[in-house]
Amino acid sequence: MPSDTPQPAFVLVRPQMGENIGAAARAMLNFGLDRMRLVAPRDGWPNQSAVAMASGAGRVLDEAVLVERTVEAVADCTYVFATTARQRDLTKPVMTPERAMEVAREKIAAGEKVAVLFGPERAGLENDDIALANAIISVPVNPEFPSLNLAQCVLLTGYEWRRQTVETASEVTEMAGSDWATAIEVDRLAEHYEETLDSAGFFFPETKSDSMRRNLRNLWSRMPLTQADVRMLHGMLRQMVRWKTKG
């Protein structure tokens, strides 16, 4: 059974290759989508090439709805997007995938049913298909090479859907089992290095000693050190002193 998560239906209109259907299913499941609808796939259905390419996303194919006409695929929907890179002689809003999935999220949250149409690999959606849509999704691709593979277009749209519906930090730091060093731990590290460098005659001439120490402290404070980093830097300095003493 498809998941209960509110989401748009992805409609593959007259897809030609089973491999692309399978790759599209895999792309959908990557981003938590599992409602696929198929309009008259060229090589029939079910398709073993699709199953092989889905690689773990077979349940999306198992639950895919098969119909003969595009209008049947969107019959229960209140808002439909059509993906196309070509200019059409049809007056419709044209949105980026990001904006389209923002609109989709708003409409689905309000209880509406939304579908996204993806055209066949060779030439994309026909005007009769696009006439059924409320808006167009256009990916900002290189105008000299605008053609996207079917699964690539599904992947892009699915990614934007995921961004709209799942809170994801734009950047995180993996701490690898350690915590950030505290100010006192960094201060002790700085003192350890200052004492050792002072013994080695590093702070010379005397007139520049204060500024050199201050710059060294500033260097440590600019570093995002973990407790493990601090322990390693203490150990490095101790080992270098031992090695010098042995010499």
Side-chain angles (χ1 to χ4, degrees):
M1 291 288 293
S3 69
D4 293 331
T5 305
Q7 60 182 268
F10 276 23
V11 182
L12 310 190
V13 180
R14 298 180 297 280
Q16 296 171 318
M17 297 178 62
E19 290 86 350
N20 282 336
I21 300 172
R26 185 174 181 179
M28 287 175 62
L29 199 56
N30 281 151
F31 298 108
L33 295 160
D34 58 8
R35 294 177 194 171
M36 176 183 282
R37 300 179 184 183
L38 299 171
V39 179
R42 183 191 66 182
D43 296 335
W45 194 256
N47 185 299
Q48 286 305 308
S49 295
V51 174
M53 184 61 75
S55 185
R59 70 179 182 87
V60 177
L61 302 180
D62 293 341
E63 301 295 336
V65 175
L66 179 66
V67 296
E68 284 300 313
R69 298 186 301 149
T70 307
V71 68
E72 296 174 62
V74 298
D76 62 337
C77 297
T78 56
Y79 202 89
V80 178
F81 293 97
T83 59
T84 181
R86 293 189 284 127
Q87 293 290 332
R88 307 288 183 154
D89 294 327
L90 296 168
T91 301
K92 292 184 187 293
V94 179
M95 306 180 191
T96 63
E98 179 181 20
R99 174 57 182 159
M101 292 302 97
E102 181 183 12
V103 171
R105 175 181 56 79
E106 293 169 354
K107 290 187 175 296
I108 290 171
E112 296 190 47
K113 289 189 176 182
V114 175
V116 184
L117 303 178
F118 299 88
E121 296 89 324
R122 185 179 62 82
L125 292 168
E126 296 178 358
N127 280 358
D128 286 346
D129 300 313
I130 296 174
L132 299 171
N134 302 93
I136 287 173
I137 298 176
S138 182
V139 179
V141 293
N142 175 6
E144 296 179 3
F145 190 64
S147 178
L148 280 175
N149 175 273
L150 171 59
Q152 290 174 328
C153 193
V154 169
L155 183 78
L156 279 170
T157 310
Y159 167 71
E160 293 297 347
W161 169 258
R162 188 76 173 178
R163 287 184 63 212
Q164 292 295 328
T165 55
V166 176
E167 189 70 30
T168 304
S170 58
E171 182 178 341
V172 295
T173 300
E174 295 290 345
M175 296 302 293
S178 185
D179 292 320
W180 292 115
T182 64
I184 190 63
E185 289 168 334
V186 175
D187 183 69
R188 287 169 182 161
L189 178 67
E191 286 181 353
H192 187 187
Y193 271 76
E194 283 181 31
E195 291 169 1
T196 305
L197 290 170
D198 195 22
S199 299
F202 175 76
F203 298 110
F204 179 86
E206 183 65 28
T207 55
K208 294 185 178 180
S209 175
D210 287 345
S211 65
M212 293 173 72
R213 292 173 189 274
R214 188 162 49 250
N215 288 340
L216 185 59
R217 290 274 176 157
N218 191 47
L219 181 150
W220 293 122
S221 68
R222 293 201 316 270
M223 289 176 144
L225 295 170
T226 66
Q227 293 175 343
D229 295 332
V230 168
R231 289 193 296 270
M232 181 180 68
L233 288 165
H234 276 300
M236 288 168 57
L237 188 57
R238 292 190 189 100
Q239 188 60 32
M240 285 189 289
V241 171
R242 290 192 193 103
W243 173 79
K244 180 64 176 176
T245 302
K246 290 179 182 178

